[in-house]
Amino acid sequence: KVILTPLTETDPQAVAIVDQLWSALGADVEHMQVERHDEVLAATSHLPHLLAFGLVDSLAKRNENLDIFRYAAGGFRDFTRIAGSDPTMWHDIFMANRDAVLRTLDSFRTDLDALREAVDAGDGAQLMDVFTRARAAREHFGRILASRARVDTAPEEPRALHSGSAEGVSHRIKGPVDVTSAVLFMVATSISEGCDLLLEDVPVSSFCEGSIDILRLMGGDIVLQNVRKLANETVADLHVRSARLKGADIPEALVPLALNAFPVLLVAAACAEGRTILRGAQAL
């Protein structure tokens, strides 16, 4: 992926040439305002590097550092891998993007302080809430990356919508289909009259299963088929049919699993007969 950040005074023709150059090399080119670029990279790249550098340095200064590093396992290795990056380069990055990094760091410190308070108070519910949301978000992000990787390595099988391409199914979407998109298609199919859809190669995660369980509570007609392993993850084909949805009292236990899907699931609730009750969704 290549992000271009032209300024107001940048020659549009020059930008177009650079865009075409990278596109010809196979890059996914996006255009972004400089300020937005700095904010996004501060959160997704610069802050993780700062945390990795800081953690390794903090542990290395302890007297018992030999035991710490001797018994460190995969989690420590994975989290601190980027601390092996070039210090000079990252020094320059932090100096150049100081304002955006500070805003992101201050926001993270607020969340970190809240976690510390939860640990200090023995607030297990708060910890579970954060951990569950984080796990669901990480799974969602991981599925998107895995989906992109499979598409990039298999251009001969692009995702496509076909009519009447599977027995007993009016439409089929060839995978891989990321879970967020799958939820959108499941809701759209459920509330559309006479629709019958097969979604292929959908990752079967807690996020996916939670969303399906909620739609089924509302009367959704969703069947998992052909569950299998693909690229070291469990995937399935989802057969979805139109259904007469009804309002439901959604169990709180399902809310964290499908938290990111609720903007779409609430569309289903709005189209359903009766009232849908949602509790424990303060994070929304």
Side-chain angles (χ1 to χ4, degrees), residues 20 26 35 79 104 119 125:
Q20 292 171 6
E35 295 78 9
F79 183 81
T104 301
V119 173

Side-chain angles (χ1 to χ4, degrees), residues 119-192:
V119 173
D120 184 48
D123 189 348
Q126 172 67 7
L127 292 176
M128 279 297 296
D129 188 36
V130 173
F131 296 165
T132 302
R133 287 201 313 269
R135 178 185 176 184
R138 182 61 182 85
E139 286 182 349
H140 169 56
F141 177 64
R143 301 294 184 252
I144 292 177
L145 290 182
S147 175
R148 288 175 179 170
R150 289 196 296 271
V151 170
D152 290 343
T153 57
E156 69 281 2
E157 295 183 3
R159 183 186 306 176
L161 177 63
H162 300 273
S163 297
S165 53
E167 184 177 355
V169 178
S170 58
H171 293 88
R172 174 170 63 96
I173 296 181
K174 296 187 65 176
V177 179
D178 67 87
V179 179
T180 302
S181 299
V183 174
L184 177 62
F185 284 121
M186 284 190 287
V187 170
T189 301
S190 298
I191 64 177
S192 299

Side-chain angles (χ1 to χ4, degrees), residues 169 198-199 223-228 235-239 241:
V169 178
L198 184 69
L199 299 169
V223 179
L224 274 71
Q225 302 175 345
N226 193 22
V227 179
R228 60 202 181 278
V235 301
D237 300 335
L238 303 185
H239 191 182
R241 299 182 180 90

Side-chain angles (χ1 to χ4, degrees), residues 44-217:
T44 60
S45 176
H46 304 169
L47 179 61
H49 277 82
L50 191 66
L51 296 177
F53 281 127
L55 176 61
V56 173
D57 182 60
S58 176
L59 296 180
K61 290 186 295 187
R62 296 187 184 183
N63 292 332
E64 68 276 20
N65 65 70
L66 289 180
D67 282 342
I68 290 175
F69 292 117
R70 180 184 302 162
Y71 296 111
F76 180 81
R77 179 199 62 214
D78 294 342
F79 183 81
T80 61
R81 175 185 58 81
I82 53 179
S85 303
D86 182 5
T88 301
M89 181 186 75
W90 280 100
H91 163 273
D92 295 345
I93 288 174
F94 285 120
M95 292 298 98
N97 199 27
R98 180 173 54 190
D99 292 340
V101 169
L102 286 174
R103 286 192 294 271
T104 301
L105 185 59
D106 288 343
S107 177
F108 179 75
R109 283 181 61 183
T110 299
D111 292 336
L112 190 61
D113 287 342
L115 279 174
R116 188 194 185 286
E117 291 175 3
V119 173
D120 184 48
D123 189 348
Q126 172 67 7
L127 292 176
M128 279 297 296
D129 188 36
V130 173
F131 296 165
T132 302
R133 287 201 313 269
R135 178 185 176 184
R138 182 61 182 85
E139 286 182 349
H140 169 56
F141 177 64
R143 301 294 184 252
I144 292 177
L145 290 182
S147 175
R148 288 175 179 170
R150 289 196 296 271
V151 170
D152 290 343
T153 57
E156 69 281 2
E157 295 183 3
R159 183 186 306 176
L161 177 63
H162 300 273
S163 297
S165 53
E167 184 177 355
V169 178
S170 58
H171 293 88
R172 174 170 63 96
I173 296 181
K174 296 187 65 176
V177 179
D178 67 87
V179 179
T180 302
S181 299
V183 174
L184 177 62
F185 284 121
M186 284 190 287
V187 170
T189 301
S190 298
I191 64 177
S192 299
E193 186 175 351
C195 196
D196 194 322
L197 176 67
L198 184 69
L199 299 169
E200 294 186 348
D201 299 343
V202 179
V204 181
S205 63
S206 57
F207 174 55
C208 176
E209 293 175 329
S211 301
I212 292 174
D213 287 344
I214 290 172
L215 284 172
R216 283 175 172 169
L217 282 174

